[in-house]
Amino acid sequence: MNTSAIVQTQNLTKKHGSINSVNKVDLYVQEGEIYGFLGPNGAGKTTTLKMLLGLIKPSEGTINIFGESLNKRRSTILQRTGSLIESPSYYGHLTGLENMRVMQRLRNVPDKNIHEVLRIVRLENQKDKKAEQYSLGMKQRLGIAMALLAFPKLLILDEPTNGLDPAGIGEIRELIKSLPARYGITVLLSSHMLSEIDQIATSVGIISDGNLLFQGSMESLRKKGRSAIRLKTGDNTKAEELLLTQGYSLTKGGSRLEFDNLADREVAEINRLLVEHYIPVTRIEEQKKSLEDIFLELTGKERSL
Amino acid sequence: MIKTLGLEYYKIRRKKIWLMITLFLGVEMLWAFMSITRSIAKNPDHAVWESIVFNISSMNGLFMPIISAIVVSRICDMEHKGATWKLLVATNVRRGNLYAAKYICANSLLLFGILTQAVMMIVFGLMKGFPGTPPIEILLQFIVVNLLTTLAVTALQQWISLAIKNQTFALCLGMLGGFVGMTAGLFPGEARHIFIWSYYLDLSPVTFHYTGSTSLYITQPVGAGIVLFALAMTVLFYIAGSIHVSRQEI
């Protein structure tokens, strides 16, 4: 067991009938990280996060948070954890401030925390309005404020920017990014939007159909985006035969000849070879894989993100 | 636990549950008082304290199941509407404590209603000049047996209200209970003891007897067996509901 891990799961599995909605997931979130839990809709993100909070019981596997077993030390762990799961939770007949008071009683925190978090999420001018009269974005802000109220060590946010307008998304993004440095909070957030995770997260876990397909730093994920060189010639069949005899390995043939990881010198050499054999080169293109390409390659699905 | 209970009272602010209970039971009392006034006009022998206790007990069979269903539903439904059950559980509130706090909160509100009824009965009796002083023992018995029946009814209602999000089920059960409670006197004793709502009348300290062409109110001892049966139902509904709701995945 790694002691520097804030969240660590082993073989975490949730079965619904014969289907594993979460299958042997080994999550690893280090202190001070913003961990982006990325996956298409229905991939198992929310189920995993609910298991981390003890809202549902895992079918198999273990969960350790702050180095302690969730099974044995649930109460201590939850005291240091803030969360916003699925849609924001609130009492519609109470005002924003009264909703915060409910959380204050549960968390035993001073009044100044309420005012600070309301200021952070920019709800201080709306605090006396009933929560049921809030817009979806305001409800989301209230949910985030309630999760932040005790300035927990670990903040678990499930799709935190749902329902926010572009300006709101930007604000929440900046807020989340500031949390580790400003308050020492480790953030675990889920999203189905790759661009969001790309802009916020320092580490990422990609889940699809319940399986954790990738886990590591954002940097290591980006490194997977190797560039490819694509060629178009006057006679692709002849060019392909020639290049194969010269020891070049193509990743794709047909209308475009594609090579992975070619150095500039090799690109010039291929061009020279083709021209010398009277094969006209009409296009030389470099194509770099976007994060979206990598994601789709990993999940093997052409889903909208 | 005290914190969770305090929170329940905080959360029901602006729900106007006190007012609703007062108005609902106020209508019942008005109905009962008018009925007794008419009865006394026809038969002056009915101007006794027992008449008001019996009439309110029998009308509670109709009104209390419905008001219990409404009160419990109002207290439980706010957790469904705002998806706050997951918020509370993820904030380290034990589900068993939450269940108990809601149960105590609902019953304390209904106890307020029953106590108000007792006070109103005394006021009515004094206004009508019923002979003798108010029968404290009978009134205390009335309060205890009404609360005992209400404890079982709310245990059942809370189970349904928390287990099933759509409150129509819980409210329909309350109305069904009201119907059974109102018509309980028509069922044979063995049959009606199955239904908790009939206990408002069954456990009443006063009953009504027809002897030939006359009728009279007489006090009756509360049977230990039926009290135990009511307690057993309370425990059964409460434990079953608490276990079921605590095990539900959120």
Side-chain angles (χ1 to χ4, degrees):
Chain A
M1 194 66 45
N2 194 318
T3 49
S4 72
I6 290 278
V7 178
Q8 191 163 20
T9 68
Q10 281 182 327
N11 285 324
L12 190 62
T13 302
K14 182 66 191 175
K15 290 178 182 170
H16 285 118
S18 58
I19 298 160
N20 285 5
S21 36
V22 175
N23 186 32
K24 297 186 186 338
V25 167
D26 293 340
L27 272 189
Y28 182 77
V29 183
Q30 281 184 298
E31 189 166 4
E33 273 187 339
I34 298 175
Y35 185 100
F37 198 32
L38 179 67
N41 293 324
K45 302 184 296 291
T46 302
T47 308
T48 306
L49 298 185
K50 280 183 173 179
M51 284 193 280
L52 295 183
L53 291 164
L55 296 177
I56 53 176
K57 283 188 176 166
S59 307
E60 283 170 35
T62 58
I63 300 169
N64 282 273
I65 300 178
F66 308 122
E68 294 178 307
S69 164
L70 183 69
N71 262 346
K72 293 174 188 162
R73 309 273 293 167
R74 186 172 175 273
S75 175
T76 325
I77 290 167
L78 290 181
Q79 276 169 11
R80 293 193 283 164
T81 307
S83 60
L84 170 62
I85 298 293
E86 290 176 319
S87 53
S89 302
Y90 59 89
Y91 294 100
H93 63 288
L94 299 180
T95 64
L97 181 63
E98 285 166 345
N99 272 282
M100 296 303 292
R101 293 255 182 250
V102 169
M103 281 304 283
Q104 182 190 23
R105 284 172 179 231
L106 291 170
R107 293 286 195 192
N108 285 325
V109 293
D111 271 357
K112 70 176 174 63
N113 283 33
I114 292 182
H115 301 297
E116 189 170 353
V117 292
L118 285 176
R119 184 186 53 76
I120 289 173
V121 299
R122 294 203 305 115
L123 271 182
E124 70 266 59
N125 293 330
Q126 309 288 338
K127 66 178 190 293
D128 296 320
K129 204 168 157 183
K130 279 188 187 177
E132 66 194 3
Q133 292 165 354
Y134 280 8
S135 66
L136 184 58
M138 284 158 76
K139 285 173 187 165
Q140 196 75 7
R141 284 161 192 270
L142 179 66
I144 293 173
M146 287 162 95
L148 263 180
L149 184 65
F151 293 101
K153 283 278 287 173
L154 172 65
L155 187 62
I156 297 177
L157 302 172
D158 186 19
E159 312 261 4
T161 54
N162 263 3
L164 296 178
D165 55 30
I169 290 174
E171 277 175 37
I172 295 298
R173 188 190 302 140
E174 290 313 308
L175 166 68
I176 293 171
K177 280 165 85 170
S178 72
L179 292 176
R182 208 163 148 199
Y183 303 106
I185 298 174
T186 303
V187 183
L188 166 53
L189 76 123
S190 78
S191 179
H192 62 280
M193 288 162 69
L194 182 60
S195 58
E196 188 174 287
I197 296 291
D198 186 25
Q199 290 177 71
I200 300 179
T202 52
S203 288
V204 64
I206 296 177
I207 189 169
S208 180
D209 289 334
N211 297 298
L212 190 65
L213 304 173
F214 174 86
Q215 183 167 233
S217 65
M218 278 307 293
E219 206 47 49
S220 62
L221 181 65
R222 286 194 192 98
K223 276 184 187 163
K224 280 182 166 280
R226 297 165 300 182
S227 63
I229 298 292
R230 297 168 81 179
L231 287 179
K232 191 180 179 190
T233 67
D235 188 346
N236 277 358
T237 316
K238 202 174 160 189
E240 193 174 337
E241 281 172 17
L242 171 69
L243 293 171
L244 282 172
T245 58
Q246 296 295 318
Y248 290 99
S249 58
L250 283 80
T251 52
K252 216 194 266 177
S255 62
R256 290 276 198 281
L257 305 177
E258 198 172 299
F259 305 85
D260 267 349
N261 291 326
L262 281 183
D264 288 353
R265 182 186 48 77
E266 290 174 302
V267 177
E269 179 62 21
I270 288 170
N271 185 41
R272 189 186 60 76
L273 264 171
L274 293 172
V275 172
E276 279 178 3
H277 286 81
Y278 302 104
I279 301 169
V281 178
T282 54
R283 292 273 192 286
I284 299 178
E285 299 163 343
E286 183 179 19
Q287 200 182 38
K288 199 161 174 67
K289 282 182 195 164
S290 66
L291 276 177
E292 191 168 324
D293 294 330
I294 301 164
F295 178 85
L296 291 173
E297 202 174 280
L298 281 167
T299 57
K301 286 173 185 174
E302 294 289 330
R303 287 196 196 175
S304 62
L305 295 174
Chain B
M1 179 62 210
I2 297 294
K3 187 169 73 177
T4 315
L5 181 59
L7 203 59
E8 285 305 316
Y9 289 108
Y10 186 83
K11 289 190 297 194
I12 58 169
R13 52 171 43 198
R14 269 200 279 278
K15 286 250 165 203
K16 298 188 177 74
I17 297 179
W18 298 97
L19 184 66
M20 193 181 60
I21 293 174
T22 310
L23 288 176
F24 200 85
L25 294 182
V27 170
E28 179 193 347
M29 301 300 280
L30 205 64
W31 185 359
F33 293 158
M34 282 166 62
S35 159
I36 297 162
T37 306
R38 273 204 305 271
S39 166
I40 293 170
K42 281 183 197 164
N43 185 353
D45 291 345
H46 285 178
V48 286
W49 289 100
E50 284 80 1
S51 67
I52 185 77
V53 175
F54 175 79
N55 273 283
I56 296 294
S57 293
S58 67
M59 289 183 88
N60 272 355
L62 167 65
F63 282 86
M64 286 303 283
I66 297 173
I67 193 69
S68 299
I70 295 170
V71 169
V72 172
S73 172
R74 298 271 288 168
I75 290 174
C76 298
D77 191 37
M78 61 185 172
E79 311 294 351
H80 293 308
K81 271 188 183 159
T84 42
W85 195 258
K86 64 172 188 258
L87 170 92
L88 297 170
V89 175
T91 318
N92 199 25
V93 178
R94 295 172 72 90
R95 296 186 207 197
N97 285 357
L98 196 56
Y99 198 90
K102 286 198 177 295
Y103 186 66
I104 295 169
C105 178
N107 281 294
S108 66
L109 293 169
L110 290 164
L111 176 61
F112 153 77
I114 295 167
L115 291 174
T116 309
Q117 279 188 328
V119 172
M120 297 282 285
M121 280 152 69
I122 294 172
V123 171
F124 180 78
L126 292 175
M127 278 169 59
K128 287 283 171 188
F130 286 172
T133 53
I136 300 302
E137 197 180 329
I138 290 177
L139 286 170
L140 279 176
Q141 228 175 12
F142 166 84
I143 292 167
V144 171
V145 296
N146 266 279
L147 180 63
L148 185 67
T149 311
T150 302
L151 285 172
V153 169
T154 51
L156 180 61
Q157 288 294 149
Q158 186 166 322
W159 181 6
I160 304 298
S161 276
L162 283 176
I164 305 170
K165 279 185 186 174
N166 189 341
Q167 293 304 301
T168 313
F169 288 94
L171 294 174
C172 282
L173 179 70
M175 284 191 272
L176 178 73
F179 177 74
V180 173
M182 184 177 66
T183 56
L186 305 173
F187 302 158
E190 293 75 21
R192 69 171 183 256
H193 288 167
I194 302 169
F195 303 107
I196 186 62
W197 307 284
S198 67
Y199 285 35
Y200 286 106
L201 191 61
D202 275 349
L203 287 174
S204 169
V206 179
T207 188
F208 192 59
H209 265 240
Y210 291 96
T211 49
S213 59
T214 60
S215 56
L216 74 160
Y217 294 99
I218 54 165
T219 53
Q220 61 174 0
V222 177
I226 197 166
V227 168
L228 285 175
F229 207 57
L231 281 172
M233 274 202 237
T234 304
V235 173
L236 178 75
F237 292 146
Y238 182 86
I239 292 177
S242 181
I243 292 173
H244 181 209
V245 171
S246 297
R247 286 188 180 172
Q248 274 186 323
E249 295 201 330
I250 301 169

